[in-house]
Amino acid sequence: MPLPEATALGNQYDGPRRSSSKKTQFHIETHDPFEDHKTLEELAAWCHRFSPLVGLAEEEPAETLLLDVTGIASLFGGEQAMNQQIENSFLQQHLMVRIGLGETVGAAWALAHYSGLHLLELPIEALRLPPAMVEVLNRLGLECIGNLVPLPRDELKARFGAILLQRLNQALGQQAEIIPQIHAPADFTAEWTFEHPVTQQRVIHEVIKQLIERLCFSLLKQDNGSLQLSYRLTCQDSEPVTFEVGCYRPSADASHLWKLTEAQLERLVLRHPVICISICSIRYSRLSRQQKELFDDSHVRQDSPLVTSLIDRMTSRLGRQAIVRCILQSDPQPEKAYRYEPLVGGSRSSRRANSHSPFSLLDRPLHLLAKPVALKNYAVAANGSPSWFQYSSEQHTVSRHWGPERIETGWWRQRGVRRDYYRVETEEGFRFWLFRSLQDGRWFLHGAFE
Amino acid sequence: MPFIQDADLMNDSFLSLLTPASLPMYAELHCRTNFSFLEGASHADELVNQAIALGYSALAITDRHSLAGVVRAHAAAKAHAEEHGSNLKLLIGAEIIPTDAPPVVLLATDRAAYAQLARLLTLGRRRAPKGECELKLEDIAQHSQGLLAVISSHHSPSDEPSSNELLIANKAHHYQLQHKGLITVERDGYFGYRDIFADRCYLLAELHYGTNDAERLDQLIQLSKQTRIPLVAAGDVHYHIAGRMVLQHVLTAIRHNTTVEALGDRLLPNAERHLRTLEEIQQLFARVPDVVRRTMEVADRCTFSLDDLRYEYPEELAPAGQTPFEYLRQLTWQGARQRYNDRVPDSIKRQLEHELAIIEDLRYEAFFLTVYDIVKFARSQNILCQGRGSAANSSVCFCLEITAVDPTDTDLLFERFVSRERNEAPDIDVDFEHERREEVLQYVYNKYGRDRAGLAATVITYRARSAVRDVGKALGLSLDRIDALAKNIDGRSEDTVLANRCRQSGVDPESRVGRRLMSVVNEILGFPRHLSQHVGGMVITQGPLCELVPIENAAMVDRTVIQWDKDDLDTLGILKVDCLALGMLTAIHRCFDLIQQHHGRELTIDNIRQDDSAVYEMISRAETIGVFQIESRAQMSMLPRLRPERFYDIVIEVAIVRPGPIQGDMVHPYLDRRDRARNGEEIEPICSDPAVNKVLERTLGVPLFQEQAMQLAVVAAGFTPGEADRLRKAMGGWRRPGLIDRFRQKLHDGMLERGHTEDFAERLFKQISGFGEYGFPESHAASFAKLAYVSAWLRYHYQAAFTAALINSQPMGFYAPAQLIRDARERGDTPVEVRPIDVNYSDWDCTLEDGGQALRLGLRLVRGLRRAAVDSMMQARTRAFDSIADLAARTQLGQAVIERLTAADAFQSFGLDRRNSLWHALDQNSKHEQSPRLFDLQASELSTPMLPKLDEQEEVFADYQSAGLTLRQHPLSFHREALSAIGVTPAEKLVSYPHDRMVKVAGIVLMRQRPSTAKGITFVTLEDETGIANLVIHQATWQRYDQIARKSSAMIAHGKLERKNEVVHVIARRLEDLTHQLSSLHSPSRDFR
Amino acid sequence: MDHKIIQLRELLNRKESEKKPCQSISSGCLPLDRHLPQQGFQRGSLIEWIGGGVGSGASLLGMLAARSACRGGGALVLVDRGQSFYPPAANAYQLDLQNTIVVHPTTEKDECWAIEQALRCSDIAAVVAWPKRLTSNAFRRLQLAAEHGGSLGLLVRPTTARNESSWASLRMLVSPSVGRQGWRLSVELLRCGGLFGTKPIELEIDDQTGEVRDAHPRPLAAQLAGTTPDPRKARA
């Protein structure tokens, strides 16, 4: 949920009032510690290009990558060059990085967080101690690591516990420390390169089928299922063709994945011969740790694999936004009283039980116009209700009406509404939903009872 | 709004001729004010006035579980009737939501029924947590006598407190019905009411253009037929005009602690909950006109008016066989003989007889006896107290020892305060020692019982800051933005200021959200948010109090509070005694005790001589730090100009430096006139009218006291005393721009009529408006002046004891212990020796040593130390502690406490400095865990770790951090060289500088004070090692350096020196933050180097 | 334990129901059921309502049938190309929106494909759709899909569809008229098994309760005798 002021600020700059040449673009996102950690882990995995042993420092929140570069600097042409190269690689990803190179994990951590020439000159904080302990040490006048060195160790231990000595020793290289290792990610990709460029669809389909099978095999080996497949068809003399296939739940079922892929392929037009096909599962998760069921209701055939696969197939062909569930919103403004949410990749948390209806059968129309249609020709009776109106070239004479139902709400949105709704029945028995805008007195057709 | 002005036109027959025959007579029976907290969105008077404007015949005020709003509505209707001859009938009632039956509106038909209603609400409120009410149908049945029940069949979504789900809990078909907005509750509920109320029962028909209004009406008609309960129209009114819908939505969001957007179906879908025109009502109920007509039937059955409430004094004040008046007379003469040593002067006799006659005449004896009784109790418990207020400065009160101010000394005549023509309740406030007032309150509860005594309410209303907070949240602003904005806003902010603050806090006031925020905040200002207990206004009745007004639980345990505040009580003429807490009385009492202990002299407020010229001289030099009332910057700057020589001068000093007189521009005229009078010049009268001059005679023609302003309105503009009093109330309290303008016109016209100049009229209005809220009545000033004098006397003669007593009574007054200590140590002639905190010498409180000459700081100053820990340490201190280990072993104090003591440097008598003592203290934990071996302790104590020494400056900061003061050097002294280099003048040199010179001063900010004057000037006091410098910061400067001005704890000010008489100010033009320089030396910077 | 037993019982129930694919489902509207062979619709078939245009009430009957079809379990699929379906109203029909998948195809081809896919899935209880045009071929495919999946295809069609060929097992013409108590819909069975051209059934939907009843309640025998006067003629 973006900050409303920020959104407002963004809107404001878009507004016509400030149509200056410079248009500021805002991108707003909420802080997500989980996502941060995940990204850091990904970065750690990426860092395997510099060192075979990469880890994340144990701290809250995690912010430090640990790289074991023992004996590696020479590969880069010296320590300085290595640092430079690592920094550049991060910069290329638009990431700022501070690098500390030390004999021990503790020393490197300290140097990365508190710059200084010598470890002993660094502040006590650089020892990775709890803030409360740092505060007490400071009160004793012990402000840099060097201050601790001459003090009797046993008395320090008596007052501050083993952790202080441990951290001190780790920093000074008198105690070993293990880097909690992060493994490089499993690679679920499969690739096929043709000897000659291929144009026949049948061949391409066959190859893809095989690739899927290979992929599923390696997925299954690690008890994983794919959530999203990415396809890349390298073509002769042309840009590669890429597309993605998403699943409602993780799957390592080759025929299911093929069906989803096939739906996409049907609509794909290949104008150039294909040289190479590669597929990669870019999102996957444990098969055993399946995602929550589609439907909460207990009497429904929960968890039906048939329904799941139907959803996957339809989503694959029609797009994520076209396969949705309805979430009712208790908002007095009719068109805001519900919203749709994609079934695949929708946010699961926002699901709430749809409550009992506040309306009876004929209070609301089944058919709502996406946008109310302004009526041009109409007449109004003495009591304010419509007596006839014209809609799509037909004239309707109102024989009965219910209302007005007054809805004045939404003032907190860009545009609030003030409407008097009438349910009307025409002489022929057709039923419509009309309203008069209290703001400008105009009449609109908003829905029909179907 | 068309008013029908002529009262003659308003009788029924005429009205029916006047209004179109088609329009019905209508009484609104279901209407909430904003005392249905966070639900109703209009003030009571707005509803009343709108109902009158729309031509309603009657209006019921039916707040949810409350009668808190009825008095205001009553007052509004009465005032409107007096001024315009309108005759809206006000019905008194409340809405009740029983846990087991449909909601119902109960209306009082007569006084007895009203008592039942108040009792019922008390019952429900007392058994529920604060702010809630819990009632069952059975309870209603027991209190139904004389009440009309108007049953609601419908729950609007906003009706229900979010937690109460009683209706939803039911079966499935119920659900559907309820959600369809149709009849909701089982018929049993209705039959239940019919059984209780029989023919005093009605069914509410309320239509608001819902989804199925026509069907709903059908169902109601059917229900009415089935239950044989007649149907009556009503509006379920939440606000007076449709425009308040937005505010109502915001209030609902605040109540549910969410945003408007997230409210969903808890939001009323349209703006129909306003008072509707008679045409609309007629049209809505066109099918069943009877339903509208019946509202008048209901209204006609209610004959109760709040005017019927007669207040009765408690009877048990006099001993059996004696009337209260006889008893009062007896006590008075007894007291007089004691006061005047059996030789009561004739003038006093005459005065007493005169006062007693008035008291007898106005039947106030019970009131005086009540106060006497309370004061007597306090005396018996050795609790210091002092009365003040309009009736307190009478000879009678002096003789009853309610006050120590002898009115004949000060020429304070009784009639000035209690008048025969203004038949209002007399007013006596009694101040008690702040730490012991609770004993007095409990005494009153015990004596009269909880059913007869209760605390008046204080209505907590929305101020700018709280409004911004709540409205911001409801509108969905992010919390940190709201926080920034709220912190940026002062208690009261005008529109333009609010806009600026918004801008500063990053909320564009021109944006949609910003505009919305501003407009809702402005509407919500002054809205009641909840009831809180009044600081001490006690109401005591003869009959059960809960039949006069509902009583509810207060936040504090064992406290109850009535639903009316002091203005409401005033309106209805109900007596209350204010039992207030005053820190200075505690301090004076403690000072008396210390003096007795160390100097063997017994002092009381009464036996201190009032004419000690040395004390007046000290006051004239403005050496008044710690002295009651006259210690503020503004007061201190006035003292050398006023140069008080006698007691009445202090009375004036106390009254003159108040927002009222300052705002009314009275200070300078008074000083001028007084200077001229001292020089023997003739003072010309203020105007040609002798009556006006007489009112102003004793203040040299300048109105300084609230009473004078009111009297002027009477004498110069022809106000009745009652009107003058209403004028005063209109000035204060609530925001009522319209009301004040009417008074202004009346005052203006009245004065011109009596031959005064326009200029004088305008000036008087300004003066009166200043007095409204912030002026002192003369009698209050006199009582305060007494305490001011006594505290000054103590300061002069026993400064060590005085300082110790003040610190021991903290928090109170303007000055922190640091300034009080500094003041005592630097006293010119006889500086007080102040000794540091030490575990071997300090008690919890500050104590005196060496025959009362030296002051030992108490452990109460140590931040974070609890009293219990200190008490146990003092108990263990049978002989001096000799080491930290010894202390730890003998006291069993935890490590945390010992660390606090080391931080306070309290081990100096062991020869340990802060760091060394901390080093030892840290060891205690592990020692405790192992088996303690004494020789071991000895050994570790002797080990000298190589800890870096604190330098002097670091010690000073550590002192400030742990105790908020230092006995070492002033922190600024470490920077003097650097400050001199950039041309900063030490504070002590300012006196010798010429007027208009540009200077720079630097110092720690002692205080910021912004008297509520229109000019928005802020006084800031800076302290350096040489003394204090007084800054005057104008609003423009303040706003330019907003952050520094409001938040810095040390600053450099650039500005022009201004001197007047002996007062020196610096008019600041530029401010610079010093905090960083001061603190950076203390804690090492953690920035990247 | 309990949970296991319940699961087992459900499994058995399911097996049981699968055995009888030709089970009939109430149309969700009792007066209509009385006129239908086997008192309702057949699983694995298509039902077609031809409405008289916007505001005519045909979808209402479709929704009632969908609600009824979902009672036995299974999800509901709404294929709504026009994106005019209004969920809050459906909620008033007590349609379980938790159990409803809404599909928004953009082309006629995708619409038809989606309906077919959904019908083919045996865990889908019913599919409601508003296809404007259906080729005979496409219609046939839908019918086969329904038969294969055993679900109910509920198609609400415009007036123009009346002249097109149909593979629906039941085809009804819905036209509104003016009722006294509520909304009156007259339902004419255009094709019903082998039956053609019976008299229209007059339904009346109560405005307050939403109850659907026969506008002319009378014994079945009398109805079979065909003595119903045409209400429109009567009014005129």
Side-chain angles (χ1 to χ4, degrees), chain A residues 15 22 35 49 114 171 214 269 277 306 321 336 342 401 438:
Chain A
K22 216 166 69 183
E35 205 54 44
R49 65 192 56 199
Y114 299 88
R214 258 162 54 191
V269 183
I277 300 174
L306 295 175
Q321 299 296 335
K336 305 272 185 199
H401 76 271
L438 297 174

Side-chain angles (χ1 to χ4, degrees), chain C residues 51-108:
Chain C
V54 198
S56 69
S59 300
L60 188 150
L61 296 174
M63 284 300 150
L64 292 177
R67 181 181 71 186
S68 159
C70 290
R71 287 235 167 91
L76 174 67
V77 174
L78 296 177
V79 182
D80 176 25
R81 186 155 80 87
Q83 302 212 12
S84 63
F85 169 67
Y86 188 52
N91 193 37
Y93 286 51
Q94 290 169 328
L95 205 66
D96 182 7
L97 292 177
Q98 288 271 74
N99 196 17
T100 301
I101 301 163
V102 178
V103 184
H104 289 148
T106 45
T107 64
E108 247 174 53

Side-chain angles (χ1 to χ4, degrees), chain B residues 9 183 210 214 229 234 252 287 290 386 411 418 431 508 525 529 630 706-707 721 752 794 855 903 949 1007-1008 1040 1060:
Chain B
L9 290 179
I183 313 303
I229 303 174
T252 309
R287 280 165 57 200
D290 268 358
Q386 156 103 324
D411 194 30
V418 177
D431 293 319
D508 181 1
L525 285 178
R529 191 154 74 150
I630 52 173
Q706 212 178 59
E707 296 92 339
L752 292 196
L794 290 170
L855 189 157
K949 277 261 173 285
M1007 72 174 73
R1008 300 174 168 86
R1040 189 161 351 120
K1060 228 179 220 173

Side-chain angles (χ1 to χ4, degrees), chain B residues 323-342:
Chain B
T323 66
F325 183 73
E326 284 163 13
Y327 184 53
L328 178 69
R329 166 179 285 276
Q330 179 198 324
L331 288 172
T332 306
W333 287 115
Q334 260 172 23
R337 279 193 294 280
Q338 230 164 344
R339 279 279 193 202
Y340 298 97
N341 286 329
D342 281 330

Side-chain angles (χ1 to χ4, degrees), chain A residues 4-5 113 159 330 358 406 408 411, chain B residues 179 264 271-272 476 478 919 1088:
Chain A
E5 300 88 340
H113 284 77
R159 285 166 176 81
S330 53
R406 186 162 294 174
E408 295 164 290
W411 50 264
Chain B
H179 282 282
E272 287 303 302
S478 70
W919 181 258
F1088 295 117

